[in-house]
Amino acid sequence: MRSNFEALRETELDIDQCKTIISRSARKLKGWTHFVSEKNDVFGCVLGEKSDNNHGKHALRNLGKDLADYLGKNKVNSVSVDAGAGTFWIAEGLFLASYRYNKLFGKTAEQVWSLKEIEIIGLSKRDFQKLSAIFLAVNETRDLVNSPLLTLTAEILSSRIEELGNLHGFSTTIFNQAKIETLKMGGLLSVNKGSIDPATFSILEHKPKNAVNKRPYILVGKGVVYDTGGLSLKPSGFMDTMKCDMAGGAAVVGAFCALAIDEVPTWVIGLIPATDNRPGGNAITPGDVIKISDGTTVEVLNTDAEGRLILADALHYAKKYDPKLVIDLATLTGSAAKAIGPNAIVAMGNAEDKIWDRLIDSGESSHERLVRFPFWEEYNDLLKSEIADLKNIGGAEAGMITAGKFLEHFTDYPYVHLDIAGPAFLEKNHGYYGKGGTGIGVRLLYDFLSNVKS
Ligand code: BES
Ligand code: MG
Ligand code: ZN
């Protein structure tokens, strides 16, 4: 009998049987968790700490992560989880930490470990449905974020959105380049000018018959499928990971999968403007003045501040729905990542405090935490242009806030901006978030939208 998780690592598994059971039959011991090896392939887990507080949930997910590490190291690819009250959270951590992006291995595919089967024992039907919704949704988001440009252009992203809508039961409308031109979405069109691939604008809708709200919640996601910076080209060290620049859009897609699978009674609309940002022959140049679909002219002084241009068109488009609240998610600024690293989302906006309280609660509960930044109007001064209504960059300071204030210009409704540049894509393993695309935002939005009352 061992009293810590090392026991699990030290005990040999019956690999042939490929089955590990975290059993609730273990004896109750002091402390919040103990592992007891009963047979070779049976492990006990007793949970002393309550799993209904955020700290407890996080600790249990970390336990799931430890199990994922163990299974990976020993190349076990099937597991059963039964941990009494802790099952939900341990399984969530196990799922998150065992995710791998294995799709693109060719000749070496056979050698790559993946956890193929997770059996969850003893969950209620309701919890099982919730867990499946989360896993499918987060995995889909992570696959999208991890997909390089060749496998995920704007058009491929939109087709996948359509496919997922048909599969899980949300409706989709895709605007092609011609339609985007008709709508005069000058932000999206100008970022797309240097590209050889057309832009798309995807609209997702989850409108259950029993919806609790009369006005929709709208999720807007940045869908830059690759960000080279355009003519304001990024140095290569900063460009390598920029396939992740549609992580906001991917989180919106994931949230819709979860809402539809779990039949959440909230009416939600999603808007995802998508293109790559490239320095092709026709690319806009620093100094160009473009016109957003609402008529605002913008002096583009840095073509690498492209996210705000495509989001401006989407935020303007959102007005026609008379939304209750609009939340956008975007890998928008390096300064957000610098300010906070992988540990949280940089959040700001003008929504009422009641909404912030609930969002922050959802963040703590899902451990996709938010830190609220100021949104004072003084920051608007930094966006004044001498030749147009706005310029697309502020000063050297508070870049994440001037970016948020730029976006706010295109809103006329309660608004929350989430800059996920820090946690969206990680170059090294970080807790149960793993490596590469993390799917940040999906569990947060799913929790928040599942708990709205009107
Ligand atoms: N996609 C980037 C932001 C980013 C940086 C995301 C790091 C993820 C990790 C965005 O389009 C960008 O390039 N922003 C510029 C804005 C600047 C030119 C005002 C930035 O933050 O450097
Ligand atoms: Mg950029
Ligand atoms: Zn970008």
Side-chain angles (χ1 to χ4, degrees), residues 227 229 234 245 277 304-306:
D227 183 11
K234 286 180 185 295
D245 211 18
N277 181 26
D304 198 11
E306 84 297 338

Side-chain angles (χ1 to χ4, degrees), residues 222 227 234 242 245 302 304-306 308 331-334 393 421:
K222 174 176 172 182
D227 183 11
K234 286 180 185 295
M242 279 301 132
D245 211 18
N302 189 322
D304 198 11
E306 84 297 338
R308 64 197 75 186
T331 44
L332 205 63
T333 64
I393 49 170

Side-chain angles (χ1 to χ4, degrees), residues 16-289:
D16 289 341
Q17 205 178 348
C18 274
K19 204 154 214 197
T20 303
I21 298 176
I22 297 183
S23 160
R24 94 180 104 195
S25 65
R27 287 171 39 210
K28 205 163 182 89
L29 297 169
K30 236 179 134 200
W32 80 266
T33 178
H34 284 268
F35 294 89
V36 185
S37 137
E38 291 175 344
K39 280 195 276 165
N40 242 6
D41 61 343
V42 180
F43 296 93
C45 168
V46 178
L47 308 163
E49 181 152 336
K50 282 196 176 149
S51 57
D52 57 2
N53 66 46
N54 295 332
H55 178 75
K57 289 177 197 172
H58 179 56
L60 290 167
R61 287 190 204 103
N62 269 324
L63 221 53
K65 180 223 179 281
D66 286 346
L67 181 59
D69 287 350
Y70 178 84
L71 298 172
K73 218 161 116 194
N74 291 285
K75 303 241 187 304
V76 179
N77 43 35
S78 167
V79 66
S80 303
V81 177
D82 177 353
T87 300
F88 189 97
W89 310 111
I90 288 188
E92 189 176 64
L94 173 62
F95 264 96
L96 292 172
S98 60
Y99 169 87
R100 299 286 186 278
Y101 184 65
N102 286 342
K103 286 180 188 254
L104 301 182
F105 286 104
K107 290 192 168 174
T108 53
E110 288 291 300
Q111 298 150 29
V112 175
W113 175 77
S114 68
L115 189 52
K116 296 202 169 70
E117 186 189 276
I118 305 181
E119 184 188 22
I120 315 282
I121 299 167
L123 271 192
S124 67
K125 208 176 153 204
R126 175 80 200 92
D127 274 351
F128 189 77
Q129 186 175 341
K130 273 173 71 172
L131 208 52
S132 324
I134 290 170
F135 298 149
L136 273 159
V138 175
N139 279 359
E140 180 62 38
T141 297
R142 294 173 80 172
D143 281 352
L144 289 171
V145 176
N146 287 324
S147 294
L149 181 60
L150 274 180
T151 41
L152 198 82
T153 60
E155 284 183 319
I156 301 175
L157 172 64
S158 292
S159 311
R160 182 66 186 151
I161 290 171
E162 259 179 336
E163 246 170 50
L164 290 166
N166 294 337
L167 197 63
H168 299 308
F170 56 85
S171 57
T172 55
T173 309
I174 311 297
F175 293 162
N176 62 13
Q177 181 87 19
K179 175 75 179 175
I180 294 166
E181 280 165 12
T182 313
L183 293 170
K184 297 193 165 59
M185 292 188 165
L188 182 53
L189 290 168
S190 59
V191 174
N192 180 255
K193 265 172 76 72
S195 173
I196 47 166
D197 297 320
T200 63
F201 188 92
S202 302
I203 305 177
L204 300 73
E205 184 166 24
H206 170 72
K207 192 173 188 183
K209 285 204 179 71
N210 57 341
V212 294
N213 53 323
K214 294 215 163 54
R215 288 160 59 209
Y217 288 79
I218 298 191
L219 306 176
V220 176
K222 174 176 172 182
V224 173
V225 285
Y226 198 89
D227 183 11
T228 68
L231 282 176
S232 312
L233 197 65
K234 286 180 185 295
S236 63
F238 291 84
M239 201 195 289
D240 300 351
T241 58
M242 279 301 132
K243 66 176 184 182
C244 79
D245 211 18
M246 32 56 73
V252 171
V253 176
F256 272 79
C257 294
L259 293 169
I261 295 169
D262 193 28
E263 299 169 333
V264 172
T266 308
W267 177 24
V268 188
I269 290 168
L271 305 174
I272 304 174
T275 177
D276 55 330
N277 181 26
R278 283 209 204 206
N282 240 352
I284 49 164
T285 58
D288 264 338
V289 174

Side-chain angles (χ1 to χ4, degrees), residues 374-424:
F375 212 48
W376 300 313
E377 64 176 56
E378 285 83 344
Y379 292 102
N380 283 323
D381 298 344
L382 296 163
L383 293 168
K384 286 186 180 140
S385 159
E386 289 188 4
I387 62 164
D389 299 333
L390 287 176
K391 57 180 178 171
N392 79 329
I393 49 170
E397 288 148 358
M400 73 297 250
I401 303 178
T402 47
K405 293 308 276 186
F406 181 95
L407 296 177
E408 188 192 30
H409 178 91
F410 302 92
T411 66
D412 67 357
Y413 37 70
Y415 173 55
V416 169
H417 165 56
L418 303 179
D419 193 330
I420 57 171

Side-chain angles (χ1 to χ4, degrees), residues 252-368:
V252 171
V253 176
F256 272 79
C257 294
L259 293 169
I261 295 169
D262 193 28
E263 299 169 333
V264 172
T266 308
W267 177 24
V268 188
I269 290 168
L271 305 174
I272 304 174
T275 177
D276 55 330
N277 181 26
R278 283 209 204 206
N282 240 352
I284 49 164
T285 58
D288 264 338
V289 174
I290 64 159
K291 195 184 262 183
I292 307 297
S293 42
D294 75 330
T296 301
T297 57
V298 179
E299 184 185 9
V300 178
L301 287 171
N302 189 322
T303 63
D304 198 11
E306 84 297 338
R308 64 197 75 186
L309 303 178
I310 74 169
L311 289 169
D313 282 319
L315 292 170
H316 172 62
Y317 195 82
K319 290 172 190 161
K320 72 175 206 163
Y321 296 103
D322 185 24
K324 169 130 186 156
L325 172 70
V326 175
I327 304 177
D328 85 69
L329 292 95
T331 44
L332 205 63
T333 64
S335 55
K338 274 222 177 77
I340 212 156
N343 288 305
I345 297 170
V346 166
M348 62 197 84
N350 56 28
E352 56 182 350
D353 285 345
K354 222 169 60 192
I355 286 178
W356 280 104
D357 291 346
R358 292 209 342 263
L359 258 176
I360 286 166
D361 277 356
S362 289
E364 297 293 327
S365 167
S366 58
H367 209 260
E368 298 194 335

